[in-house]
C-alpha cells in the first residue's frame, strides 16, 4: 500500500511540473503570428500607383525649340508612347492661334507645353529643351537601334547620307547618326515627323536598362544647361517609373497627330485631341 501511495504521489508531482510547461508552450504556439503569407509592417514594398505615369515634352533646337516630341512613360499601363509634331503645328496660346515655333519665340519652352495642353486637352507634366548635341550626349549609352530608313527617305537622300546599302532596308544607327539623319531634313514633311517619333522610340526600346540606370543621373548633370521644369525630386519619380518599366518590357507606340499642311503651317484635324488622348491619357488620369 505504501508503494502504491508513493507511486501516485510521484505521478502527481511529475504532472504538476509538466502540465504548466505544456500549457505555456501551447499558449505561445496559438498566439504566434503565422510565418507564411502574412504581411509584415515596416517592410517597404514597391507598388505601382496612379502617379507612375508622366507625359514629357522633349524639344531641341540650336537656340530655341524647333522640334517637338511628346513622350509618355506609363509604368502602370506598361507603355512608352511617342508622338512628334512639326514646329509649324498650329496651337492655341491663350486662345490665340500660333505655331509651336512662334510660341517658343514669344515665351520660351514653357509656352509650348502650355499651348499643347490647351490645344489637345492633355496634361504635360514636364518639359525639357536642349540642343540636339546635348540630347545625343544624354542617349549615347543607349547603343544602336535598327530603323527602316528606306520607309522614310528617298534613295538619293540615303546615298547622300551614305546609308544606302544594296538590298538592305533597315539600317543600324547610333544616336549621333539618327541626329544627322534628322538634321538633313531630307524626308517629306509628314514622313520627317513620323521618322523622328519612330526614331526616338527605337532608342527608348533598346535603352530600357540604361533608361533606368543612367539617364536620371545624366539628366541631373544636364539640368543646368537646359530649359526645363524638372526638379531634383521629380527626377527620382522618373527613376522609379523607369525601374518599373525595366522589370517588364512595355508596349511601344509611336505616331503623329492628324492634320494637313496649309500654306506652310500644319493645321491639326478636329479629331487630334481624341488621338492625343489615346496616347497620353488613361482612365487613371481622371
Amino acid at each position: 500500500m505504501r508503494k502504491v501511495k508513493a507511486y501516485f504521489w510521484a505521478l502527481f508531482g511529475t504532472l504538476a511540473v509538466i502540465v504548466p510547461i505544456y500549457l505555456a508552450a501551447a499558449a505561445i504556439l496559438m498566439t504566434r503570428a503565422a510565418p507564411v503569407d502574412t504581411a509584415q509592417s515596416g517592410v517597404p514594398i514597391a507598388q505601382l500607383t496612379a502617379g507612375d505615369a508622366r507625359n514629357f515634352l522633349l524639344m531641341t533646337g540650336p537656340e530655341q525649340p524647333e522640334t517637338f516630341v511628346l513622350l509618355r512613360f506609363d509604368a502602370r499601363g506598361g507603355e512608352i508612347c511617342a508622338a512628334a509634331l512639326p514646329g509649324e503645328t498650329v496651337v492655341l496660346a491663350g486662345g490665340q492661334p500660333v505655331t509651336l515655333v512662334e510660341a517658343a519665340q514669344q515665351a520660351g519652352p514653357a509656352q509650348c507645353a502650355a499651348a499643347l495642353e490647351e490645344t489637345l486637352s492633355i496634361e504635360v507634366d514636364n518639359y525639357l529643351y536642349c540642343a540636339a548635341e546635348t540630347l545625343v550626349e544624354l542617349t549615347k549609352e543607349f547603343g544602336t537601334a535598327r530603323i527602316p530608313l528606306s520607309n522614310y527617305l528617298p534613295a538619293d537622300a540615303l546615298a547622300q547620307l551614305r546609308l544606302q546599302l544594296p538590298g538592305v532596308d533597315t539600317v543600324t544607327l547610333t544616336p549621333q547618326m539618327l541626329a544627322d539623319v534628322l538634321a538633313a531634313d531630307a524626308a517629306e514633311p509628314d514622313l520627317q515627323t513620323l521618322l523622328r517619333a519612330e526614331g526616338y522610340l527605337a532608342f527608348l526600346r533598346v535603352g530600357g536598362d540604361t533608361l533606368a540606370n543612367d539617364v536620371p543621373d545624366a539628366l541631373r548633370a544636364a539640368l543646368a544647361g537646359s530649359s526645363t521644369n524638372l526638379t531634383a525630386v521629380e527626377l527620382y519619380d522618373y527613376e522609379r517609373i523607369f525601374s518599373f518599366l525595366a522589370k517588364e518590357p512595355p508596349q511601344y507606340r509611336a505616331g503623329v497627330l492628324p492634320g494637313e499642311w496649309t500654306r506652310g503651317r500644319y493645321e491639326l484635324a478636329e479629331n487630334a485631341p481624341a488621338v492625343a488622348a489615346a496616347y497620353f491619357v488613361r482612365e487613371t488620369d481622371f
Side-chain angles (χ1 to χ4, degrees):
M1 179 65 73
R2 290 177 179 175
K3 291 183 178 180
V4 173
K5 288 183 178 180
Y7 169 78
F8 281 109
W9 279 114
L11 177 60
F12 291 147
T14 302
L15 291 175
V17 173
I18 293 177
V19 170
I21 295 175
Y22 174 80
L23 292 175
I28 292 173
L29 289 174
M30 292 177 65
T31 56
R32 180 182 296 174
V36 181
D37 297 332
T38 301
Q40 299 182 17
S41 62
V43 179
I45 299 175
Q47 294 182 337
L48 286 166
T49 68
D52 289 322
R54 298 293 175 89
N55 293 335
F56 192 95
L57 176 60
L58 180 57
M59 300 168 278
T60 63
E63 297 181 358
Q64 66 178 29
E66 295 180 3
T67 72
F68 305 83
V69 179
L70 276 169
L71 301 168
R72 182 171 180 85
F73 302 101
D74 188 347
R76 189 168 188 179
E79 284 188 335
I80 296 180
C81 301
L85 299 100
E88 297 83 6
T89 301
V90 178
V91 292
L92 295 176
Q96 299 300 312
V98 295
T99 66
L100 282 170
V101 169
E102 290 169 346
Q105 290 172 343
Q106 292 175 4
Q111 176 82 321
C112 299
L116 287 172
E117 288 186 329
E118 181 179 347
T119 305
L120 300 174
S121 298
I122 63 172
E123 183 175 357
V124 179
D125 299 291
N126 297 105
Y127 65 83
L128 173 72
Y129 159 66
C130 63
E133 295 79 8
T134 301
L135 184 58
V136 169
E137 182 67 20
L138 287 173
T139 57
K140 66 179 182 180
E141 302 298 332
F142 279 27
T144 58
R146 292 173 55 79
I147 300 174
L149 285 183
S150 61
N151 292 348
Y152 305 97
L153 301 174
D156 58 339
L158 288 171
Q160 290 180 358
L161 292 167
R162 299 182 180 180
L163 293 174
Q164 188 180 37
L165 303 174
V168 177
D169 294 327
T170 301
V171 182
T172 300
L173 302 178
T174 64
Q176 182 62 65
M177 293 171 69
L178 176 62
D180 294 340
V181 169
L182 292 172
D185 199 19
E188 293 295 322
D190 287 341
L191 290 176
Q192 177 78 11
T193 305
L194 182 58
L195 174 58
R196 185 175 298 278
E198 293 281 7
Y200 281 27
L201 199 67
F203 279 100
L204 289 171
R205 190 192 309 268
V206 300
D209 292 337
T210 301
L211 192 65
N213 298 330
D214 300 329
V215 168
D217 288 336
L219 278 171
R220 290 184 183 95
L223 287 183
S226 306
S227 179
T228 180
N229 66 341
L230 271 172
T231 66
V233 173
E234 287 174 319
L235 279 173
Y236 284 108
D237 293 335
Y238 279 95
E239 197 167 7
R240 169 188 166 90
I241 292 170
F242 295 157
S243 66
F244 278 122
L245 290 169
K247 291 178 182 178
E248 186 172 344
Q251 297 293 317
Y252 295 87
R253 294 193 294 150
V256 296
L257 299 183
E260 62 180 17
W261 290 89
T262 303
R263 296 187 295 276
R265 292 157 66 96
Y266 189 68
E267 302 276 356
L268 291 171
E270 187 175 345
N271 65 332
V275 174
Y279 280 87
F280 302 102
V281 179
R282 294 184 63 86
E283 291 181 1
T284 53
D285 293 334
F286 293 99

